[in-house]
Amino acid sequence: LAKTTQPISMDSYEGQEVNITCSHNNIATNDYITWYQQFPSQGPRFIIQGYKTKVTNEVASLFIPADRKSSTLSLPRVSLSDTAVYYCLVDRSFQKLVFGTGTRLLVSP
Amino acid sequence: DTAVSQTPKYLVTQMGNDKSIKCEQNLGHDTMYWYKQDSKKFLKIMFSYNNKELIINETVPNRFSPKSPDKAHLNLHINSLELGDSAVYFCASSQDRTDEKLFFGSGTQLSVL
């Protein structure tokens, strides 16, 4: 199974760019990298997905190096409302998404 | 309209009781899931159905029985509730069994006393 490793927590301030890196050394050739965001008392919400290089949408950017052994979720100019847990997922074995421990991001004024 | 809705939002009950959680999605998705999030916030898949067919059944006690009357609904029935069943249960759906973009409900917080 492709296991992911993320920092347990990160702190930032409003207006700053936040980069959360995820390690997935055993990623399989056909695995995509998917990131979810979870606010307290809510279910996870899909943010972005990529396979290689860079993907950008209205919420975030995802940077994936050529070896795909890691990925970085970039949140531009965070606000207080970006305080949440961010999950990096790569494991789609047996058709199930495996959530790790996630990174708890705290954005302060 | 809420895409994935589950009821109830809160469920407080005594040990030994039987309870059900209902889930409905109006996205036209083929695949639905039940996830459990424990007190340490680990999110683990329990079951998955694709077009009413059970495709994933993790190591879950057989006191937990999912039922999918149609592809828009996936209910979870729990018999003989135990203290360790206390958790937040999330329903989710995806376009099909290969789609990694899941849409989650807002969760059902189950407290077993």
Side-chain angles (χ1 to χ4, degrees), chain A residues 27-67:
Chain A
I27 189 170
T29 303
N30 57 348
D31 280 338
Y32 278 73
I33 299 158
T34 310
W35 284 80
Y36 280 78
Q37 173 191 56
Q38 185 177 23
F39 297 115
S41 302
Q42 293 187 29
R45 181 177 74 111
F46 173 91
I47 301 177
I48 197 166
Q49 182 181 68
Y51 184 81
K52 61 180 180 180
T53 62
K54 177 184 174 182
V55 179
T56 297
N57 62 23
E58 65 279 3
V59 177
S61 293
L62 181 59
F63 298 91
I64 306 167
D67 64 7

Side-chain angles (χ1 to χ4, degrees), chain B residues 1-2 18 28 43 59 63 66 71 74 77:
Chain B
D1 281 344
T2 303
D18 303 337
L43 196 61
T59 309
R63 298 182 293 104
K71 75 173 192 177
L74 180 61
H77 188 75

Side-chain angles (χ1 to χ4, degrees), chain A residues 32-34 36 38 41-46 49 87 90 92 94-101 104, chain B residues 9 33 35 37 41-43 45 55-56 58 90 94 96-107:
Chain A
Y32 278 73
I33 299 158
T34 310
Y36 280 78
Q38 185 177 23
S41 302
Q42 293 187 29
R45 181 177 74 111
F46 173 91
Q49 182 181 68
Y87 296 96
V90 299
R92 186 75 193 182
F94 303 108
Q95 303 175 48
K96 61 178 185 278
L97 277 178
V98 178
F99 286 78
T101 55
R104 190 173 299 273
Chain B
K9 188 168 179 59
Y33 311 80
Y35 277 82
Q37 188 165 43
K41 304 300 183 184
F42 291 120
L43 196 61
I45 190 167
I55 57 173
I56 294 175
E58 288 297 279
F90 288 101
S94 62
D96 54 50
R97 61 202 300 174
T98 65
D99 189 1
E100 293 170 350
K101 185 175 181 179
L102 271 59
F103 290 79
F104 282 82
S106 57

